[in-house]
Amino acid sequence: MFNDEVSQIKKNQNLFVKTIIEPFKIKSVEPIKFTTVEQRAQILKKAFYNPFFIHAEDVLIDLLTDSGTSAMSAQQWAGIMEGDESYAGARSFFRFEKVVRDLTGLKHIIPTHQGRAAEKILFSIVGKKEIFIPNNSHFDTTRANIEFSGATATDLLCDEGKNPDLIAPFKGNMNVATLEKFIKEHGRENIPMCFLTLTNNSGGGQPVSMKNIRDVKNVCKKYNIPLFLDACRFAENAYFIKLREKGYAKKSVKKIAQEMFSYADGATMSAKKDALVNMGGFLALNNDELAMNARNLLVITEGFPTYGGLAGRDLEAIAQGLEEVLDEHYLEYRLRSTAYLGEKISSVGVPILQPPGGHAIYLNAKKYAPHIPSHQFPGQAIVGDLYVRGGIRSVEIGSVMFGKYDEKGKHIAPTLELVRLAIPRRVYTQSHIDYVIEVIIESYKSRKKLRGMKIVWEPPMLRHFTAKFEII
Ligand code: F0G
C-alpha cells in the first residue's frame, strides 16, 4: 500500500471512532448454568438472603467481587507449569521479587497468600491500643485487622468523595488538611504509618491523584510518618491518572505507577485484583527492622520468606500478571467497560455513585429504594432482587457491611448505602454486560415493590459474610 493511502486511512479512523473491544480472544470457556426465577427465589431463601451463601454454580453472572476472579492469560498458565516448587530460594520467587521491586522500588518484598495476610502481619506488629492508622478509606479487612490489634482505623476521605452524585476526577483523595490536624491531635508517636488505598474500594472504586499522593507524602514526611499504599488496584489508579491528571497523558502507565510507588515507604497488595491471579499478595517495605519482624511472623503463619503461603507457580503467575496489567489496551478496555455499564444504567435514571469507578459500579440504594430505611437494609433488598430476576450476584456495601450498634443496640448507619457490581477482569464480554444492564433496568422499574430485611443472626465481626436475613 502506498504511504498516502495509509495516511488517508489513518485520517478517516480519527473521524469514525470505533468500539473499544476486548483486547484478547477466548481459548478456554466455562459454561454458566441457567436457572428459572422460581428456582432462584428458592435458592435465595435457602441462602438466608445472603449472596455469600449462594452456591456459585447457581449464579449466572457473578459480580460479587473482582477479587481472585480474573481469567489468566495463556502466558500465566504457562507460568503455572514453569513454577519452581522448591521450599527455599525458588526461581519463581526471584522472578516475582524482581517484578515487584521494579514496579515499587521497595527494598523488602514479602509474599503472602492474599492481601489480608499482609495486613494481619503488619498490624500485628505495629497495632495496639492508643495507635491510630489513617487512610482515605480503609477496606473492611484492613479495618478489621487494625481493630483486631486494638488500634483505631480512621477514614479521612476528601469531601468530594462523600457526595455520591458529584462528578469529580479524583474522589478517592485524602483530605490533606484533616490529616495534618489528625496527626497534631493524636501525636506523631501514635501513628506508625499512614495509608492510601488505590483505588478507593470502599468509596466507589474512585482514584487518588498523583498530586494527592504527593501532598499526603509531604505531610507524612514533615512528621516522619511512613506512607503505605494499599495497592490492590494500582494499575487502574495509574490509568485514571493518565486520563485525568494534567501532565500524565503522554507518560506510560508503568512510569505513572512507578511514580505512585516512589512516594511510598511500604505497600500491601492483594494480587487477586491487579496482578490478574486467583490467589496471592505481598507486603513490601523499606524499613529493615519492620521487615525482619514481618518475616518472623510470616514464617509462623504463612511460610518461608521465599514462598510465604503461595506455591511457586502462583508467584510465577503474579509476576506475569503484574506485567500484563500495565498493557494500556487492557486498561483502556477495563475502565471503558466498567464505565459502559454505569453510563447505560444511569442514562435511564438508575442512581449510581458517580462517576463510574475502575473495578465496579455502585448502585445508590438510598435513592433506588428510598422507601426502605437504613436499618432495613435497602442495599440487601436490591441484591436479592437482582439475583431472583436475572441470576446476577452483587454485594451490599452499606448498613449490612458497615452498620454498627450504639450502647442501646440501636442501628448506626454509615453515610452511604450502596450495592456493588464488581467486574471480574477479562471474564465477561459486552453481551454479558448488556444483559446485566437489562436486568438492572427491569429491577429499577419495579423498585417500589422492594421490601426491607431484618437480620436474624450475625457473627461478632465482618457480619456481611455470614449474617442471615429475613424479608420484613
Ligand atoms: N484492600 C482492598 C482495597 C481490597 O479491596 C481488598 C479485597 C483487600 C485489601 C484484601 O485483600 O481479599 O486478598 O485479602 N477486596 C475484595 C473485594 C475482597 O471484594 O473488594 P484480600
Side-chain angles (χ1 to χ4, degrees):
M1 215 182 274
F2 298 112
N3 281 347
D4 52 343
E5 272 181 274
V6 173
S7 65
Q8 191 57 41
I9 292 171
K10 216 173 145 201
K11 223 161 126 196
N12 277 341
Q13 286 204 328
N14 293 336
L15 292 175
F16 299 102
V17 180
K18 298 198 184 61
T19 305
I20 294 165
I21 59 171
E22 287 85 2
F24 49 80
K25 51 186 181 171
I26 298 165
K27 180 173 266 181
S28 174
V29 297
E30 188 180 347
I32 46 180
K33 192 174 101 185
F34 288 81
T35 46
T36 63
V37 173
E38 291 82 2
Q39 285 169 333
R40 291 194 292 270
Q42 277 308 313
I43 290 165
L44 186 65
K45 197 168 163 207
K46 262 179 67 188
F48 302 99
Y49 299 93
N50 185 337
F52 288 97
F53 285 128
I54 299 174
H55 292 194
E57 206 186 38
D58 295 327
V59 175
L60 191 65
I61 307 276
D62 205 345
L63 307 184
L64 184 68
T65 179
D66 64 319
S67 179
T69 51
S70 298
M72 291 210 294
S73 67
Q75 284 221 27
Q76 283 178 296
W77 282 110
I80 293 284
M81 278 311 290
E82 290 276 339
D84 176 355
E85 303 305 339
S86 307
Y87 189 95
R91 185 189 63 244
S92 300
F93 170 75
F94 294 112
R95 179 178 175 207
F96 162 85
E97 184 185 48
K98 185 163 174 277
V99 172
V100 177
R101 191 171 288 142
D102 175 47
L103 176 68
T104 64
L106 294 164
K107 187 170 170 194
H108 301 282
I109 314 294
I110 302 172
T112 58
H113 81 272
Q114 62 183 95
R116 70 196 69 182
E119 294 166 359
K120 171 74 181 150
I121 287 172
L122 185 62
F123 299 123
S124 298
I125 300 166
V126 302
K128 59 173 193 258
K129 228 170 163 266
E130 268 106 52
I131 287 290
F132 294 83
I133 313 278
N135 201 332
N136 46 353
S137 302
H138 289 281
F139 181 64
D140 59 355
T141 61
T142 323
R143 171 176 294 280
N145 271 305
I146 291 169
E147 290 175 354
F148 190 73
S149 77
T152 304
T154 309
D155 294 342
L156 301 177
L157 187 63
C158 66
D159 290 339
E160 289 173 337
K162 293 176 193 158
N163 177 352
D165 303 320
L166 183 81
I167 298 195
F170 292 107
K171 289 173 74 178
N173 283 355
M174 181 179 266
N175 187 328
V176 183
T178 318
L179 172 66
E180 186 150 16
K181 237 173 81 196
F182 183 84
I183 297 171
K184 284 185 183 152
E185 199 178 309
H186 295 287
R188 180 273 141 244
E189 64 285 0
N190 298 318
I191 305 173
M193 62 203 39
C194 171
F195 258 79
L196 273 178
T197 303
L198 321 168
T199 58
N200 184 24
N201 187 10
S202 308
Q206 301 294 322
V208 178
S209 71
M210 194 71 88
K211 178 174 184 310
N212 191 247
I213 302 175
R214 218 179 286 127
D215 290 348
V216 168
K217 173 67 183 182
N218 284 336
V219 172
C220 287
K221 216 161 142 189
K222 185 168 157 193
Y223 295 92
N224 199 18
I225 296 172
L227 173 63
F228 272 62
L229 303 183
D230 178 338
C232 299
R233 300 177 180 85
F234 75 94
E236 290 171 10
N237 199 91
Y239 199 68
F240 273 123
I241 288 177
K242 183 174 173 111
L243 293 179
R244 296 180 183 175
E245 192 162 350
K246 216 176 140 220
Y248 289 95
K250 292 211 169 81
K251 286 215 168 110
S252 75
V253 178
K254 185 171 177 187
K255 280 261 155 25
I256 296 172
Q258 284 170 327
E259 184 184 339
M260 281 162 36
F261 282 109
S262 74
Y263 303 114
D265 305 285
T268 56
M269 164 100 187
S270 168
K272 299 170 74 172
K273 285 83 168 173
D274 270 353
L276 302 171
V277 293
N278 307 118
M279 189 52 73
F282 60 79
L283 170 64
L285 69 178
N286 281 335
N287 184 297
D288 295 334
E289 194 188 332
L290 194 54
M292 182 193 71
N293 289 328
R295 287 202 178 97
N296 283 342
L297 264 185
L298 187 84
V299 172
I300 56 173
T301 56
E302 294 278 294
F304 188 74
T306 60
Y307 71 85
L310 292 167
R313 53 180 170 271
D314 296 326
L315 294 166
E316 202 70 43
I318 293 171
Q320 178 64 29
L322 284 173
E323 286 174 347
E324 288 177 14
V325 79
L326 294 168
D327 170 19
E328 301 195 9
H329 286 294
Y330 161 75
L331 285 166
E332 178 186 38
Y333 138 83
R334 170 73 179 157
L335 297 194
R336 187 59 216 138
S337 54
T338 307
Y340 174 81
L341 166 59
E343 284 165 15
K344 285 273 174 173
I345 58 175
S346 68
S347 72
V348 296
V350 179
I352 65 164
L353 193 152
Q354 292 284 9
H359 68 296
I361 292 300
Y362 296 66
L363 304 175
N364 183 342
K366 262 191 206 169
K367 287 196 167 170
Y368 197 109
H371 59 290
I372 305 178
S374 278
H375 69 275
Q376 292 181 7
F377 311 116
Q380 198 73 3
I382 297 168
V383 168
D385 194 55
L386 296 181
Y387 177 69
V388 173
R389 270 174 206 283
I392 297 165
R393 178 154 68 168
S394 53
V395 67
E396 194 261 16
I397 300 197
S399 278
V400 176
M401 196 182 270
F402 294 122
K404 294 219 157 115
Y405 296 108
D406 67 12
E407 317 83 63
K408 290 186 186 137
K410 220 177 132 233
H411 175 77
I412 311 171
T415 335
L416 300 177
E417 300 288 345
L418 304 171
V419 170
R420 187 182 75 173
L421 305 151
I423 321 286
R425 294 171 180 77
R426 306 192 292 205
V427 169
Y428 293 117
T429 63
Q430 186 169 341
S431 61
H432 289 119
I433 298 301
D434 281 329
Y435 169 82
V436 171
I437 291 164
E438 289 156 9
V439 174
I440 294 171
I441 293 172
E442 186 191 304
S443 158
Y444 185 64
K445 284 191 174 146
S446 313
R447 64 193 180 276
K448 295 205 172 100
K449 296 205 188 94
L450 289 169
R451 282 153 64 193
M453 326 272 302
K454 67 173 185 205
I455 292 183
V456 292
W457 182 85
E458 63 181 291
M461 67 195 302
L462 295 175
R463 69 175 175 187
H464 53 287
F465 289 128
T466 53
K468 296 176 178 173
F469 299 83
E470 262 172 20
I471 294 182
I472 296 174

